Amino acid sequence: MRTRVGVFFGGISVEHEVSVISGLQAIHAMDADRYEAIPIYISKDRTWYTGEKLTDIEAYKDLKALLSEATPVIPVAADNGGIVLQKNPAPRFGKREVSQIDVAFPVLHGTFGEDGGLQGLFELMNIPYVGCDVGASALGMDKVTMKQVLRNEKLPVLNDVWFYNREWQEDSASIVKQIEEEIGLPAIVKPANLGSSVGIGVARNQESLEIAIEEALEYASKLIVEPLITDLKEMNCSVLGDTDEAEASVIEEVLKTEDILSYADKYQGSSRGGSKGGSGSKSMGGGMESTDRIIPAPIPDEETEQIQTLAVSTFKALGCGGVSRIDFMKDEANDIIYVNEINTIPGSLSFYLWEAADKDFQTLTNDLIQLALKRQRDRERLTFSIDSNLFSLQGEGGGKGGSKGGSKR
Ligand SMILES: Nc1ncnc2c1ncn2[C@@H]1O[C@H](COP(=O)(O)OP(=O)(O)O)[C@@H](O)[C@H]1O
Ligand SMILES: [Mg+2]
């Protein structure tokens, strides 16, 4: 029997549409002889749908019509592992089960799909899933905690000041002072846990700093402020694997057209002239791969190797699994390369960076599913609970329980 792979896409984040493109790309790339891809579309109002029609990108132009043909479902843990998708609401007659999945393949970007939320559900339902686990997903989503871990591992990240909304409301003067002293101006203000440049602003003087902070606070209650690199070159590298073994892809240079690479730049690039870099994109309605990019980045071999090494170290430091994209910023004036951020579910799963490294999209999806199964096998060797009922051991001299791996208690 083919392995049934539930591909999750859509979601509630601002990157909903990008996720639909990425999700369908993954479904169409999968080896149909080995895997049965089952689409699970999460609508902006959080309803889950399944159905064949959801695999057709054209159908999304009329979302209402599409959803009237799709089946709303809820997940229920299957007896033998995996998830059963049941019709929701339950039909008055007939079968409730729509399909069953053996492996979950989340292709959601941003809030709750990429931040560990959905991964937590997969953990509870005991289904193997593609990509980072709960901890790595959550760590990667928060720019503050991510940089704290990387800094601790001696990986190059920009200095920053971070704070919560409440601290700003209570004493903005001392935060401004701290930023001026530790970061200096110009600076860049970012929400700690969003993507797509949402809420990001540049501050060149104290007044614009306060404005940028107030604006960013509309999107998040935790902010991070960094020095602004004015002579900036942006390069990205994808990493595939797990904490045992991970490999780096080729590197892309992302060409920017505005002060900050904005949401419009990233996702609506096609309307402004499309790709210069030959990203190997499929014609699936634009999306991530239409950002202007050069692949491979025209940089010396040495620099390529440096970035690849940093990318793999970042991936491992954060405890990642599956495929991630690590974004770098080079300060050209000072010739320093910084790790900027990690995307643990990158747009289009970064397939174009692997194609350029001679790994086609089908092989990439295969590797990802196999990595999910490997992690599940590894986990089954660990002890999560002890066999004996400690209450029943009273008077017997304490716990002799503990199965494989040995609990210390
Ligand atoms: N310290 C910085 N100096 C200059 N530009 C920056 C800096 N940090 C981010 N940017 C610009 O803003 C963009 C978005 O920032 P990033 O940290 O990647 O957030 P997001 O998660 O929204 O993508 C980057 O791609 C880059 O163009
Ligand atoms: Mg970014």
Side-chain angles (χ1 to χ4, degrees):
M1 197 178 75
R2 293 186 298 169
T3 304
R4 295 163 296 189
V5 181
V7 180
F8 293 75
F9 56 91
I12 60 163
S13 84
V14 289
E15 293 154 297
H16 178 96
E17 284 76 13
V18 188
S19 163
V20 172
I21 295 170
S22 301
L24 298 196
Q25 286 173 329
I27 287 175
H28 295 299
M30 258 180 231
D31 180 355
D33 291 335
R34 288 182 73 178
Y35 305 112
E36 182 190 352
I38 294 160
I40 298 139
Y41 169 72
I42 303 179
S43 69
K44 287 181 184 172
D45 70 4
R46 300 171 190 241
T47 309
W48 293 23
Y49 293 89
T50 193
E52 192 57 38
K53 195 84 195 278
L54 291 164
T55 60
D56 175 15
I57 189 80
E58 290 299 317
Y60 289 80
K61 286 181 182 157
D62 187 349
L63 192 61
K64 222 173 138 197
L66 171 61
L67 296 186
S68 70
E69 283 183 55
T71 310
V73 288
I74 48 165
V76 175
D79 295 340
N80 53 349
I83 289 179
V84 174
L85 296 171
Q86 289 189 341
K87 284 184 190 157
N88 187 43
R92 283 217 277 164
F93 307 102
K95 215 167 86 172
R96 184 155 193 200
E97 178 176 331
V98 183
S99 44
Q100 188 170 338
I101 60 176
D102 311 306
V103 180
F105 194 147
V107 196
L108 292 118
H109 309 307
T111 318
F112 117 79
E114 192 177 353
D115 60 6
L118 192 61
Q119 289 74 8
L121 180 71
F122 296 147
E123 292 278 347
L124 291 174
M125 301 198 111
N126 197 26
I127 185 170
Y129 59 97
V130 169
C132 286
D133 65 9
V134 175
S137 302
L139 205 47
M141 185 55 72
D142 186 315
K143 291 178 167 55
V144 175
T145 54
M146 177 199 69
K147 286 176 66 183
Q148 285 169 337
V149 171
L150 299 184
R151 196 175 286 127
N152 202 45
E153 295 296 312
K154 311 274 184 296
L155 289 161
V157 288
L158 280 169
N159 197 10
D160 60 62
V161 165
W162 69 272
F163 51 91
Y164 294 112
N165 190 357
R166 174 61 72 91
E167 294 167 319
W168 175 255
Q169 302 308 332
E170 283 172 357
D171 189 2
S172 62
S174 67
I175 291 176
V176 167
K177 188 163 171 264
Q178 190 191 356
I179 292 170
E180 284 176 344
E181 280 172 11
E182 294 178 22
I183 305 294
L185 296 175
I188 185 162
V189 180
K190 311 177 191 180
N193 63 355
L194 288 178
S196 303
S197 302
V198 172
I200 295 187
V202 168
R204 298 186 191 278
N205 52 43
Q206 190 179 327
E207 194 193 344
S208 63
L209 176 64
E210 287 172 17
I211 294 172
I213 290 172
E214 295 286 350
E215 278 179 7
L217 285 172
E218 288 179 21
Y219 297 96
S221 56
K222 184 180 183 184
L223 302 188
I224 180 167
V225 183
E226 292 174 348
L228 182 79
I229 300 176
T230 45
D231 200 352
L232 176 68
K233 180 155 143 187
E234 296 193 73
M235 290 175 284
N236 304 335
C237 178
S238 178
V239 175
L240 172 67
D242 56 21
T243 49
D244 291 338
E245 221 178 303
E247 54 174 329
S249 71
V250 301
I251 289 156
E252 66 176 330
E253 180 179 343
V254 181
L255 304 174
K256 63 181 201 151
T257 49
E258 284 169 24
D259 224 353
I260 290 179
L261 194 56
S262 69
Y263 185 73
D265 264 343
K266 278 188 191 163
Y267 300 132
Q268 292 148 23
S270 54
S271 63
R272 298 178 6 268
S275 169
K276 277 185 202 151
S279 61
S281 65
K282 295 192 174 172
S283 57
M284 294 196 71
M288 271 308 286
E289 72 271 33
S290 53
T291 300
D292 294 347
R293 58 185 82 233
I294 309 174
I295 301 171
I299 52 174
D301 289 349
E302 232 165 80
E303 195 167 304
T304 298
E305 279 162 33
Q306 184 193 352
I307 291 175
Q308 286 174 328
T309 306
L310 288 174
V312 170
S313 304
T314 299
F315 185 91
K316 288 194 175 174
L318 298 171
C320 293
V323 70
S324 289
R325 196 190 74 226
I326 293 99
D327 296 352
F328 293 85
M329 294 191 294
K330 183 173 181 191
D331 179 347
E332 297 249 74
N334 298 302
D335 205 23
I336 307 175
I337 292 172
Y338 297 97
V339 179
N340 179 35
E341 64 159 345
I342 188 163
N343 296 282
T344 54
I345 305 185
S348 300
L349 299 175
S350 294
F351 79 89
Y352 50 92
L353 291 177
W354 291 101
E355 267 184 1
D358 283 333
K359 188 189 282 288
D360 63 30
F361 202 174
Q362 184 176 98
T363 312
L364 176 64
T365 55
N366 183 45
D367 288 358
L368 289 170
I369 295 164
Q370 293 308 317
L371 281 164
L373 296 171
K374 174 184 176 231
R375 180 171 57 204
Q376 185 82 349
R377 285 193 302 273
D378 288 348
R379 287 203 176 171
E380 277 162 9
R381 282 200 289 274
L382 298 172
T383 304
F384 285 105
S385 61
I386 42 179
D387 297 337
S388 22
N389 175 358
L390 287 183
F391 294 115
S392 72
L393 294 176
Q394 265 179 0
E396 284 180 30
K400 34 175 141 116
S403 53
K404 286 168 292 175
S407 165
K408 296 245 163 51
R409 253 168 274 221

Coordinates of all heavy atoms in Angstrom, one line a residue, residues 143 196 266 325 327 340-341 343, ligand 2:
K143 N 12.5 35.7 16.5 CA 13.8 36.3 16.1 C 14.7 36.5 17.4 O 15.9 36.4 17.2 CB 13.6 37.6 15.3 CG 13.0 37.4 14.0 CD 12.8 38.7 13.3 CE 12.5 38.6 11.8 NZ 11.4 37.7 11.4
S196 N 7.5 37.9 6.3 CA 7.0 38.7 5.2 C 7.2 40.2 5.4 O 6.5 41.0 4.8 CB 5.6 38.5 4.9 OG 5.4 37.1 4.6
K266 N 8.2 40.4 -2.3 CA 8.4 38.9 -2.2 C 7.4 38.2 -2.9 O 7.7 37.2 -3.6 CB 8.4 38.5 -0.7 CG 9.7 38.7 0.0 CD 9.5 38.1 1.4 CE 10.7 38.4 2.3 NZ 10.4 38.1 3.7
R325 N 15.3 27.2 5.2 CA 16.1 28.1 4.4 C 16.6 29.1 5.4 O 15.9 29.7 6.2 CB 15.2 28.9 3.4 CG 16.1 29.6 2.3 CD 15.2 30.5 1.4 NE 14.9 31.7 2.2 CZ 13.6 32.2 2.2 NH1 12.7 31.6 1.5 NH2 13.4 33.3 2.9
D327 N 18.5 32.6 6.0 CA 18.7 33.9 5.2 C 19.9 34.7 5.9 O 19.9 34.8 7.1 CB 17.4 34.7 5.3 CG 16.3 34.0 4.5 OD1 16.5 33.0 3.9 OD2 15.2 34.6 4.6
N340 N 20.7 36.1 9.3 CA 19.5 36.9 9.7 C 18.4 36.2 10.3 O 17.9 36.5 11.4 CB 19.1 37.7 8.4 CG 17.9 38.6 8.7 OD1 17.8 39.1 9.8 ND2 16.9 38.7 7.8
E341 N 17.9 35.1 9.6 CA 16.8 34.4 10.2 C 16.7 33.0 9.5 O 17.3 32.8 8.5 CB 15.5 35.2 10.0 CG 15.1 35.4 8.5 CD 13.6 35.7 8.4 OE1 12.8 35.4 9.3 OE2 13.2 36.1 7.3
N343 N 13.8 30.1 8.1 CA 12.5 29.8 7.7 C 12.4 28.3 7.8 O 12.9 27.6 6.9 CB 12.1 30.4 6.3 CG 12.2 31.9 6.3 OD1 11.3 32.6 6.7 ND2 13.3 32.4 5.8
Ligands
MG2 MG 13.1 37.4 6.0

